[in-house]
Coordinates of all heavy atoms in Angstrom, one line a residue:
M940 N -34.2 51.9 104.0 CA -34.1 52.1 102.6 C -34.8 51.0 101.9 O -35.7 51.2 101.0 CB -32.7 52.3 102.1 CG -32.5 52.5 100.7 SD -32.8 54.1 100.0 CE -31.7 55.1 100.9
E941 N -34.4 49.8 102.3 CA -34.9 48.6 101.6 C -36.5 48.5 101.8 O -37.2 48.1 100.9 CB -34.2 47.3 102.1 CG -34.7 46.1 101.4 CD -33.8 44.9 101.8 OE1 -32.7 45.1 102.3 OE2 -34.3 43.8 101.5
E942 N -36.9 48.8 103.0 CA -38.3 48.8 103.3 C -39.2 49.7 102.4 O -40.2 49.3 101.9 CB -38.6 49.1 104.7 CG -40.0 49.0 105.2 CD -40.1 49.4 106.7 OE1 -39.3 48.8 107.5 OE2 -40.9 50.1 107.0
H943 N -38.6 50.9 102.1 CA -39.4 51.8 101.2 C -39.2 51.7 99.8 O -40.1 51.9 99.0 CB -38.9 53.3 101.6 CG -39.4 53.7 103.0 ND1 -40.7 53.8 103.3 CD2 -38.7 54.1 104.1 CE1 -40.8 54.2 104.6 NE2 -39.6 54.4 105.1
F944 N -38.0 51.2 99.3 CA -37.7 51.2 97.9 C -37.4 49.8 97.4 O -37.2 49.7 96.2 CB -36.6 52.2 97.6 CG -36.9 53.6 97.9 CD1 -36.3 54.2 99.1 CD2 -37.7 54.3 97.1 CE1 -36.6 55.5 99.4 CE2 -38.0 55.6 97.5 CZ -37.4 56.2 98.6
G945 N -37.2 48.8 98.2 CA -36.9 47.5 97.8 C -35.4 47.2 97.9 O -34.6 48.0 98.0
A946 N -35.1 45.9 97.8 CA -33.8 45.4 97.9 C -32.8 45.9 96.8 O -31.7 46.2 97.0 CB -33.7 43.9 98.0
E947 N -33.4 45.9 95.6 CA -32.5 46.3 94.4 C -32.0 47.7 94.6 O -30.8 48.0 94.4 CB -33.3 46.2 93.2 CG -32.5 46.4 91.9 CD -33.3 46.1 90.6 OE1 -34.5 45.9 90.7 OE2 -32.7 46.1 89.6
I948 N -32.9 48.7 94.9 CA -32.5 50.1 95.1 C -31.6 50.3 96.3 O -30.6 51.0 96.2 CB -33.7 51.0 95.3 CG1 -34.7 50.9 94.0 CG2 -33.4 52.4 95.5 CD1 -34.0 51.3 92.7
A949 N -31.9 49.5 97.4 CA -31.0 49.6 98.6 C -29.6 49.1 98.2 O -28.6 49.7 98.7 CB -31.6 48.8 99.7
T950 N -29.5 48.1 97.4 CA -28.1 47.6 97.0 C -27.4 48.6 96.1 O -26.2 48.9 96.3 CB -28.3 46.3 96.2 OG1 -28.9 45.3 97.0 CG2 -26.9 45.8 95.7
L951 N -28.1 49.3 95.2 CA -27.5 50.4 94.4 C -27.0 51.5 95.3 O -25.9 52.0 95.1 CB -28.5 50.9 93.4 CG -28.9 49.9 92.3 CD1 -30.0 50.5 91.5 CD2 -27.7 49.6 91.4
V952 N -27.8 52.0 96.2 CA -27.4 53.1 97.1 C -26.2 52.7 97.9 O -25.3 53.4 98.1 CB -28.6 53.5 98.0 CG1 -28.1 54.5 99.1 CG2 -29.7 54.1 97.2
D953 N -26.2 51.5 98.4 CA -25.1 50.9 99.2 C -23.8 51.0 98.4 O -22.7 51.4 98.9 CB -25.4 49.5 99.8 CG -24.3 49.0 100.7 OD1 -24.0 49.7 101.6 OD2 -23.8 47.9 100.4
G954 N -23.9 50.5 97.2 CA -22.7 50.5 96.3 C -22.2 51.9 96.0 O -21.0 52.1 96.1
V955 N -23.0 52.9 95.8 CA -22.6 54.3 95.5 C -22.0 54.8 96.8 O -21.0 55.5 96.7 CB -23.8 55.1 95.0 CG1 -23.4 56.6 95.0 CG2 -24.3 54.6 93.7
T956 N -22.6 54.6 97.9 CA -22.1 55.1 99.2 C -20.8 54.6 99.5 O -19.9 55.3 100.0 CB -23.1 54.7 100.3 OG1 -24.4 55.3 100.0 CG2 -22.7 55.3 101.7
K957 N -20.5 53.3 99.3 CA -19.2 52.7 99.6 C -18.1 53.3 98.8 O -16.9 53.4 99.2 CB -19.3 51.2 99.4 CG -20.0 50.5 100.5 CD -20.0 49.0 100.3 CE -20.8 48.3 101.3 NZ -20.9 46.9 101.2
I958 N -18.4 53.8 97.6 CA -17.4 54.4 96.7 C -16.9 55.7 97.4 O -15.7 56.0 97.2 CB -17.9 54.7 95.3 CG1 -18.1 53.4 94.6 CG2 -17.0 55.6 94.5 CD1 -18.8 53.5 93.3
S959 N -17.7 56.4 98.1 CA -17.3 57.7 98.7 C -16.9 57.8 100.1 O -16.4 58.8 100.6 CB -18.6 58.6 98.5 OG -19.0 58.7 97.2
E960 N -17.0 56.7 100.8 CA -16.9 56.7 102.3 C -15.4 56.8 102.9 O -15.2 57.5 103.8 CB -17.5 55.5 102.9 CG -19.0 55.6 103.1 CD -19.6 54.4 103.7 OE1 -18.9 53.4 104.0 OE2 -20.8 54.5 104.1
L961 N -14.5 56.1 102.3 CA -13.1 56.0 102.9 C -12.3 57.3 102.7 O -12.4 58.0 101.8 CB -12.4 54.8 102.4 CG -13.1 53.5 102.7 CD1 -12.3 52.4 102.0 CD2 -13.1 53.2 104.2
K962 N -11.4 57.6 103.7 CA -10.5 58.7 103.7 C -9.1 58.2 103.6 O -8.8 57.1 104.2 CB -10.6 59.5 105.0 CG -12.0 60.1 105.2 CD -12.5 61.1 104.2 CE -13.8 61.6 104.5 NZ -14.6 62.0 103.4
F963 N -8.2 58.9 102.8 CA -6.9 58.4 102.6 C -5.8 59.5 102.9 O -6.2 60.7 102.9 CB -6.7 57.8 101.2 CG -7.6 56.7 100.9 CD1 -8.9 56.8 100.5 CD2 -7.2 55.4 101.3 CE1 -9.7 55.8 100.2 CE2 -8.0 54.3 101.1 CZ -9.3 54.5 100.5
D964 N -4.6 59.1 103.0 CA -3.5 60.0 103.3 C -3.0 60.7 102.1 O -2.5 61.8 102.2 CB -2.3 59.3 104.0 CG -2.7 58.7 105.4 OD1 -3.6 59.4 106.0 OD2 -2.2 57.7 105.8
S965 N -3.1 60.1 100.9 CA -2.6 60.8 99.8 C -3.6 60.7 98.6 O -4.5 59.9 98.6 CB -1.2 60.0 99.3 OG -1.5 58.8 98.8
V966 N -3.4 61.6 97.7 CA -4.3 61.6 96.5 C -4.1 60.3 95.7 O -5.1 59.8 95.2 CB -3.9 62.9 95.6 CG1 -4.7 62.8 94.3 CG2 -4.2 64.2 96.3
E967 N -2.9 59.8 95.6 CA -2.7 58.6 94.8 C -3.4 57.4 95.5 O -4.1 56.6 94.8 CB -1.2 58.2 94.7 CG -0.5 59.3 93.9 CD 0.0 60.5 94.6 OE1 -0.2 60.6 95.9 OE2 0.4 61.5 94.0
E968 N -3.4 57.3 96.8 CA -4.1 56.3 97.5 C -5.6 56.4 97.3 O -6.2 55.4 97.0 CB -3.8 56.4 99.1 CG -2.8 55.4 99.6 CD -2.7 55.6 101.1 OE1 -3.7 56.1 101.7 OE2 -1.7 55.1 101.7
L969 N -6.1 57.6 97.4 CA -7.5 57.8 97.2 C -7.9 57.4 95.8 O -9.0 56.7 95.6 CB -7.8 59.3 97.4 CG -9.3 59.7 97.2 CD1 -10.2 59.0 98.1 CD2 -9.4 61.2 97.3
Q970 N -7.2 57.8 94.8 CA -7.5 57.5 93.4 C -7.5 56.0 93.2 O -8.4 55.5 92.5 CB -6.6 58.2 92.5 CG -6.8 59.7 92.4 CD -5.8 60.5 91.6 OE1 -4.7 60.0 91.4 NE2 -6.2 61.6 91.1
A971 N -6.5 55.4 93.7 CA -6.4 53.9 93.5 C -7.5 53.2 94.2 O -8.1 52.2 93.6 CB -5.0 53.4 94.0
E972 N -7.9 53.6 95.4 CA -9.0 52.9 96.1 C -10.3 53.2 95.4 O -11.1 52.3 95.3 CB -9.0 53.4 97.5 CG -10.0 52.7 98.4 CD -9.8 51.2 98.5 OE1 -8.8 50.6 98.2 OE2 -10.8 50.5 98.9
N973 N -10.5 54.4 94.9 CA -11.8 54.7 94.2 C -11.9 53.9 93.0 O -13.0 53.4 92.7 CB -11.8 56.2 93.9 CG -12.3 57.0 95.1 OD1 -12.8 56.6 96.1 ND2 -12.0 58.3 95.0
F974 N -10.8 53.7 92.3 CA -10.8 52.9 91.0 C -11.1 51.5 91.4 O -12.0 50.8 90.7 CB -9.5 53.0 90.3 CG -9.5 52.4 89.0 CD1 -10.2 52.9 87.9 CD2 -8.7 51.2 88.8 CE1 -10.2 52.2 86.7 CE2 -8.7 50.6 87.6 CZ -9.5 51.1 86.5
R975 N -10.5 51.0 92.4 CA -10.8 49.6 92.9 C -12.2 49.4 93.2 O -12.9 48.4 92.8 CB -9.9 49.2 94.0 CG -10.0 47.8 94.5 CD -9.2 47.5 95.8 NE -9.9 48.1 96.9 CZ -11.0 47.5 97.5 NH1 -11.5 46.5 97.1 NH2 -11.6 48.1 98.6
K976 N -12.8 50.4 94.0 CA -14.2 50.2 94.4 C -15.1 50.3 93.2 O -16.1 49.7 93.2 CB -14.5 51.3 95.5 CG -13.9 51.0 96.8 CD -14.3 51.9 97.9 CE -13.7 53.2 97.8 NZ -14.0 54.2 98.9
M977 N -14.8 51.2 92.2 CA -15.6 51.3 91.1 C -15.6 50.0 90.3 O -16.7 49.5 89.9 CB -15.1 52.4 90.2 CG -15.5 53.8 90.6 SD -15.3 55.1 89.5 CE -13.5 55.0 89.2
I978 N -14.5 49.4 90.2 CA -14.4 48.1 89.4 C -15.3 47.0 90.2 O -16.0 46.3 89.5 CB -13.0 47.6 89.3 CG1 -12.2 48.6 88.4 CG2 -12.9 46.2 88.8 CD1 -12.6 48.6 87.0
I979 N -15.1 46.9 91.5 CA -15.9 46.0 92.2 C -17.4 46.2 92.1 O -18.2 45.3 91.9 CB -15.5 45.9 93.7 CG1 -14.0 45.4 93.8 CG2 -16.4 45.2 94.6 CD1 -13.4 45.5 95.2
S980 N -17.8 47.5 92.2 CA -19.2 47.9 92.0 C -19.7 47.5 90.6 O -20.8 47.0 90.5 CB -19.4 49.4 92.3 OG -19.1 49.7 93.6
M981 N -18.9 47.7 89.6 CA -19.3 47.4 88.3 C -19.5 45.9 88.1 O -20.4 45.5 87.4 CB -18.3 47.9 87.3 CG -18.4 49.4 87.0 SD -17.4 50.0 85.7 CE -15.9 49.1 85.6
I982 N -18.7 45.1 88.8 CA -18.8 43.7 88.7 C -20.2 43.3 89.2 O -20.9 42.4 88.7 CB -17.7 42.9 89.4 CG1 -16.4 43.2 88.6 CG2 -18.0 41.5 89.6 CD1 -15.2 42.8 89.4
K983 N -20.6 43.9 90.3 CA -21.9 43.6 91.0 C -23.1 44.1 90.2 O -24.1 43.4 90.1 CB -21.9 44.1 92.4 CG -20.9 43.4 93.3 CD -21.0 44.0 94.7 CE -20.0 43.3 95.6 NZ -20.0 43.8 97.0
D984 N -22.9 45.4 89.8 CA -24.1 46.0 89.1 C -23.6 47.3 88.4 O -23.2 48.2 89.1 CB -25.2 46.3 90.0 CG -26.5 46.7 89.3 OD1 -26.5 47.2 88.2 OD2 -27.6 46.4 89.9
I985 N -23.5 47.3 87.1 CA -23.1 48.4 86.3 C -23.8 49.7 86.6 O -23.3 50.8 86.5 CB -23.1 48.1 84.8 CG1 -22.3 49.2 84.0 CG2 -24.5 48.0 84.3 CD1 -20.9 49.1 84.1
R986 N -25.0 49.6 87.1 CA -25.8 50.8 87.4 C -25.1 51.6 88.5 O -25.3 52.9 88.6 CB -27.3 50.5 87.7 CG -28.0 49.9 86.5 CD -29.4 49.5 86.9 NE -29.3 48.3 87.9 CZ -30.4 47.8 88.4 NH1 -31.6 48.2 88.1 NH2 -30.2 46.8 89.2
V987 N -24.4 51.0 89.4 CA -23.8 51.7 90.5 C -22.8 52.7 90.0 O -22.8 53.9 90.4 CB -23.0 50.7 91.5 CG1 -22.2 51.5 92.4 CG2 -24.0 49.9 92.2
I988 N -22.0 52.3 89.0 CA -21.0 53.3 88.5 C -21.7 54.4 87.6 O -21.3 55.5 87.6 CB -19.9 52.5 87.7 CG1 -18.7 53.4 87.5 CG2 -20.4 52.0 86.4 CD1 -18.0 53.8 88.7
L989 N -22.8 54.0 86.9 CA -23.5 55.0 86.2 C -24.1 56.0 87.1 O -24.1 57.3 86.8 CB -24.5 54.3 85.3 CG -24.0 53.4 84.2 CD1 -25.2 52.7 83.5 CD2 -23.2 54.1 83.2
I990 N -24.6 55.7 88.2 CA -25.2 56.6 89.2 C -24.1 57.5 89.7 O -24.3 58.7 89.9 CB -25.9 55.8 90.3 CG1 -27.2 55.1 89.8 CG2 -26.2 56.8 91.5 CD1 -27.8 54.1 90.8
K991 N -22.9 56.9 90.0 CA -21.8 57.7 90.5 C -21.3 58.7 89.5 O -21.1 59.9 89.8 CB -20.7 56.8 91.0 CG -19.5 57.5 91.7 CD -20.1 58.0 93.0 CE -19.0 58.7 93.8 NZ -19.5 59.4 95.0
F992 N -21.2 58.3 88.3 CA -20.9 59.2 87.2 C -21.8 60.4 87.1 O -21.5 61.5 86.9 CB -20.7 58.5 85.9 CG -19.4 57.7 85.8 CD1 -19.3 56.6 84.9 CD2 -18.3 58.1 86.5 CE1 -18.2 55.9 84.8 CE2 -17.1 57.3 86.4 CZ -17.0 56.3 85.6
A993 N -23.2 60.0 87.1 CA -24.2 61.0 87.0 C -24.1 62.0 88.2 O -24.3 63.2 88.0 CB -25.6 60.4 87.0
D994 N -23.8 61.5 89.4 CA -23.7 62.4 90.5 C -22.5 63.3 90.4 O -22.6 64.5 90.6 CB -23.5 61.5 91.8 CG -23.3 62.3 93.1 OD1 -24.1 63.2 93.3 OD2 -22.3 62.1 93.8
R995 N -21.4 62.8 89.9 CA -20.2 63.7 89.7 C -20.5 64.7 88.6 O -20.1 65.9 88.8 CB -19.0 62.8 89.3 CG -18.4 62.0 90.4 CD -17.8 62.8 91.4 NE -17.5 62.0 92.6 CZ -16.3 61.9 93.1 NH1 -15.3 62.5 92.5 NH2 -16.0 61.1 94.2
L996 N -21.1 64.3 87.6 CA -21.5 65.3 86.5 C -22.4 66.4 87.1 O -22.2 67.6 86.8 CB -22.2 64.6 85.3 CG -22.6 65.5 84.2 CD1 -21.5 66.2 83.6 CD2 -23.4 64.6 83.1
H997 N -23.4 66.0 87.8 CA -24.2 67.0 88.5 C -23.4 68.0 89.4 O -23.6 69.2 89.3 CB -25.3 66.3 89.3 CG -26.2 67.3 90.1 ND1 -25.9 67.6 91.4 CD2 -27.2 68.1 89.7 CE1 -26.8 68.5 91.8 NE2 -27.6 68.8 90.7
N998 N -22.5 67.4 90.1 CA -21.6 68.3 91.0 C -20.8 69.2 90.2 O -20.7 70.4 90.5 CB -20.7 67.4 91.8 CG -21.4 66.6 92.9 OD1 -22.5 66.8 93.2 ND2 -20.7 65.6 93.4
M999 N -20.3 68.8 89.0 CA -19.5 69.7 88.2 C -20.4 70.8 87.6 O -19.9 71.9 87.5 CB -18.8 68.9 87.1 CG -17.6 68.1 87.7 SD -16.6 67.3 86.4 CE -17.8 66.2 85.6
R1000 N -21.5 70.4 87.2 CA -22.5 71.4 86.6 C -23.0 72.5 87.6 O -23.4 73.5 87.2 CB -23.7 70.7 85.9 CG -23.3 70.0 84.7 CD -24.5 69.3 84.1 NE -24.2 68.7 82.7 CZ -24.9 67.8 82.1 NH1 -26.1 67.4 82.6 NH2 -24.6 67.4 80.9
T1001 N -23.0 72.1 88.8 CA -23.5 73.1 89.8 C -22.5 73.6 90.8 O -22.8 74.3 91.7 CB -24.6 72.3 90.7 OG1 -24.1 71.2 91.3 CG2 -25.8 71.9 89.8
I1002 N -21.2 73.4 90.5 CA -20.1 73.8 91.4 C -20.1 75.4 91.5 O -19.7 75.9 92.5 CB -18.8 73.3 90.9 CG1 -17.8 73.3 92.0 CG2 -18.3 74.0 89.6 CD1 -16.5 72.5 91.8
E1003 N -20.5 76.1 90.5 CA -20.5 77.5 90.6 C -21.4 78.1 91.7 O -21.2 79.2 92.2 CB -20.9 78.2 89.3 CG -22.4 77.9 88.9 CD -22.8 78.3 87.5 OE1 -22.5 77.5 86.6 OE2 -23.4 79.4 87.4
F1004 N -22.3 77.3 92.2 CA -23.3 77.8 93.3 C -22.7 77.5 94.7 O -23.4 77.8 95.6 CB -24.6 77.1 93.1 CG -25.2 77.5 91.7 CD1 -25.3 76.5 90.7 CD2 -25.7 78.7 91.4 CE1 -25.8 76.8 89.5 CE2 -26.2 79.1 90.2 CZ -26.3 78.1 89.2
L1005 N -21.6 76.7 94.7 CA -21.1 76.4 96.0 C -20.1 77.5 96.5 O -19.5 78.2 95.7 CB -20.3 75.1 96.0 CG -21.1 73.8 95.8 CD1 -20.2 72.6 95.6 CD2 -22.0 73.6 96.9
P1006 N -19.9 77.7 97.8 CA -18.9 78.6 98.3 C -17.5 78.1 97.9 O -17.3 77.0 97.8 CB -19.0 78.6 99.8 CG -20.2 77.7 100.1 CD -20.6 77.0 98.9
E1007 N -16.6 79.1 97.7 CA -15.3 78.7 97.2 C -14.5 77.8 98.0 O -13.9 76.8 97.6 CB -14.4 80.0 97.0 CG -13.1 79.8 96.4 CD -12.2 81.0 96.2 OE1 -12.8 82.2 96.3 OE2 -11.0 80.9 95.9
R1008 N -14.7 77.9 99.4 CA -14.0 76.9 100.3 C -14.4 75.5 100.0 O -13.6 74.6 100.2 CB -14.2 77.3 101.7 CG -15.6 77.2 102.2 CD -15.8 77.6 103.7 NE -17.2 77.7 104.0 CZ -18.0 76.6 104.1 NH1 -17.5 75.4 104.0 NH2 -19.2 76.8 104.5
K1009 N -15.7 75.3 99.6 CA -16.2 73.9 99.4 C -15.6 73.4 98.0 O -15.4 72.2 97.9 CB -17.7 73.9 99.4 CG -18.3 74.0 100.8 CD -19.7 73.4 100.8 CE -19.6 72.2 101.6 NZ -20.5 71.2 101.8
T1010 N -15.5 74.3 97.1 CA -15.1 73.8 95.7 C -13.6 73.4 95.8 O -13.2 72.5 95.2 CB -15.2 74.9 94.7 OG1 -14.5 76.0 95.0 CG2 -16.7 75.3 94.5
K1011 N -12.8 74.1 96.6 CA -11.4 73.8 96.7 C -11.2 72.5 97.5 O -10.4 71.7 97.2 CB -10.6 75.0 97.4 CG -10.5 76.1 96.5 CD -9.6 77.2 97.1 CE -9.6 78.3 96.0 NZ -8.4 79.1 96.1
A1012 N -12.1 72.3 98.5 CA -12.0 71.1 99.3 C -12.3 69.8 98.5 O -11.8 68.8 98.7 CB -13.0 71.2 100.5
N1013 N -13.2 70.0 97.5 CA -13.6 68.9 96.7 C -12.7 68.5 95.6 O -12.7 67.5 95.0 CB -15.0 69.1 96.1 CG -16.1 69.1 97.2 OD1 -16.0 68.4 98.2 ND2 -17.1 69.9 97.0
C1014 N -11.8 69.5 95.3 CA -10.8 69.2 94.3 C -9.6 68.5 94.7 O -8.8 68.0 93.9 CB -10.4 70.6 93.6 SG -11.7 71.4 92.8
S1015 N -9.3 68.5 96.0 CA -8.1 67.8 96.5 C -8.3 66.3 96.6 O -9.3 65.8 96.5 CB -7.7 68.4 97.7 OG -8.7 68.4 98.7

């Protein structure tokens, strides 16, 4: 990634990816950890959180085109 787009873009992609990677046992744990990761990402570069919000907005706008099983899996 860094070779093609540079260190700055690679860092942004890494920050966005880290927000989504971990799995948790409860919804509360997941929400707390996501919030913590967002705060840490914002401290490093506010663009990371803006990219994540844009991605979530895009997902919500296009959810009608996904199969029902995928929409339910993403809501939990």
Side-chain angles (χ1 to χ4, degrees):
M940 177 78 61
E941 187 173 339
E942 186 178 308
H943 291 299
F944 300 104
E947 186 175 9
I948 300 301
T950 300
L951 291 172
V952 170
D953 185 52
V955 171
T956 302
K957 286 180 181 177
I958 291 174
S959 304
E960 279 183 349
L961 296 176
K962 304 292 182 212
F963 297 93
D964 295 329
S965 70
V966 173
E967 292 81 10
E968 261 185 14
L969 175 64
Q970 290 172 337
E972 184 61 18
N973 280 340
F974 186 69
R975 184 188 72 78
K976 288 187 285 185
M977 283 191 299
I978 296 295
I979 290 170
S980 294
M981 285 190 322
I982 290 168
K983 292 180 181 178
D984 192 330
I985 190 71
R986 294 175 296 178
V987 169
I988 197 65
L989 295 175
I990 292 167
K991 190 64 180 175
F992 285 154
D994 179 51
R995 291 293 171 118
L996 177 60
H997 175 263
N998 291 348
M999 289 187 294
R1000 287 181 173 166
T1001 59
I1002 199 164
E1003 65 189 81
F1004 301 108
L1005 292 175
E1007 186 177 345
R1008 65 178 172 72
K1009 286 203 113 189
T1010 61
K1011 291 187 181 204
N1013 291 331
C1014 292
S1015 56

